[in-house]
Amino acid sequence: MNQRRSRTKFTEDQLKILIKAFDQNPYPGYATKQRLALEINTDESRIQIWFQNRRARHQCQKKSEPDEDLESRQDQDHSEEEIQSREDRRCRTSYTSSQLHTLIGAFMNNPYPGIDTREQLAKEIGIPESRVQIWFQNRRSRFHVQRKREPDDQDSEQRQDQDQDLWDERVQAALAPGAQQAASDQRTVSTEGGRGQHLIAHNPRQLLPSCCF
DNA sequence: TCTAATCTTATCAGGGGCACCCTGATAAGCACATTAGA
């Protein structure tokens, strides 16, 4: 089950263009990323990921080459570029109640959808897949925050053990030949994302707007 | 082995409705995020 997006292989020419753009500004705004996407004939979301990874590698290199002058200059550059980037953000996507209903339903079924599911959802609600991915990221994040804020209605250690047991059970079920995901359970877990984190909706309604009921 | 893809967490910022709150977008990741495909 290949649930990850297949790896993008950039050509040498594409990389030249990307690296040149990175050297000019490691924090390009949305318009720049779109222009680059057009120029090298790829999706804007792939450009965004490439810049994120490039910045991460760049930071590592910077740490391993402690040149104070270079470092301070680059830090200064970054702060200016960050401001530029913030002026050029992508416009907020606003979802209709119908679109949200679909997304929330999918989230309750599986908070870690793979590329196929995300693309299917994107097609269904007419939103780019990259926005669906971001929606799930934000949703999971706020779910985790909410879980932390919840008052303990039982011993937390006991609850963690129960969560782990349920997680293991679902992983076993998912790996079993011909296994079907039990999606109707109120306590829902899935491994489709494949990273091993688990997230259990004790009460999924807590995260849902009233318009969904 | 390299690096695209993905994850969590924190924060910025738009928009609804008038002081915040919700939530989409973005950045960082520090015993230098982790995972996994080519």
Side-chain angles (χ1 to χ4, degrees):
Chain A
M1 202 164 50
N2 179 17
Q3 291 296 344
R4 277 194 164 213
R5 180 196 308 272
S6 56
R7 279 176 72 99
T8 305
K9 178 69 182 166
F10 294 110
T11 65
E12 276 189 34
D13 288 343
Q14 285 174 322
L15 281 174
K16 272 183 194 170
I17 292 168
L18 288 171
I19 290 165
K20 188 180 171 190
F22 183 89
D23 289 343
Q24 286 173 353
N25 179 9
Y27 294 87
Y30 179 58
T32 305
K33 283 183 277 190
Q34 272 208 317
R35 181 182 57 74
L36 282 168
L38 271 174
E39 193 175 346
I40 69 170
N41 193 29
T42 191
D43 195 83
E44 180 269 334
S45 63
R46 297 310 89 205
I47 303 284
Q48 181 155 5
I49 295 296
W50 185 87
F51 270 85
Q52 281 176 8
N53 284 321
R54 181 86 180 174
R55 281 197 299 267
R57 287 196 297 274
H58 205 63
Q59 288 296 325
C60 284
Q61 281 177 2
K62 225 169 66 173
K63 289 276 156 51
S64 62
E65 299 166 6
D67 180 335
E68 277 188 21
D69 289 343
L70 181 68
E71 202 168 324
S72 59
R73 186 170 54 80
Q74 283 176 336
D75 285 346
Q76 199 179 355
D77 289 350
H78 283 202
S79 59
E80 287 169 9
E81 284 145 8
E82 252 184 308
I83 292 163
Q84 186 186 337
S85 173
R86 282 170 197 163
E87 287 170 353
D88 189 17
R89 281 190 165 206
R90 176 199 302 271
C91 293
R92 269 179 82 97
T93 304
S94 63
Y95 296 98
T96 65
S97 57
S98 159
Q99 287 170 327
L100 279 176
H101 191 270
T102 303
L103 288 168
I104 290 162
F107 183 86
M108 289 167 73
N109 186 32
N110 177 9
Y112 295 92
I115 181 66
D116 292 344
T117 306
R118 292 200 308 268
E119 282 186 336
Q120 192 182 333
L121 276 168
K123 194 176 173 186
E124 192 176 336
I125 64 176
I127 293 279
E129 181 273 329
S130 62
R131 297 308 90 202
V132 173
Q133 187 166 24
I134 294 297
W135 187 89
F136 271 85
Q137 277 177 12
N138 281 324
R139 200 74 182 181
R140 285 194 300 268
S141 172
R142 270 126 207 177
F143 190 94
H144 286 307
V145 169
Q146 194 175 51
R147 281 295 306 278
K148 282 179 189 168
R149 284 184 190 157
E150 274 180 3
D152 274 343
D153 53 356
Q154 57 180 299
D155 179 65
S156 62
E157 201 172 318
Q158 184 188 347
R159 192 174 62 187
Q160 279 174 10
D161 288 346
Q162 287 174 351
D163 287 357
Q164 188 61 49
D165 289 347
L166 184 64
W167 169 251
D168 293 342
E169 187 182 306
R170 290 301 175 98
V171 171
Q172 291 293 330
L175 292 175
Q180 295 295 319
Q181 189 75 9
S184 58
D185 194 342
Q186 188 188 8
R187 288 163 56 94
T188 301
V189 172
S190 176
T191 63
E192 201 180 343
R195 200 182 177 223
Q197 292 91 347
H198 64 287
L199 190 152
I200 298 173
H202 290 285
N203 184 4
R205 280 176 182 251
Q206 289 176 342
L207 271 182
L208 309 184
S210 56
C211 66
C212 299
F213 299 101

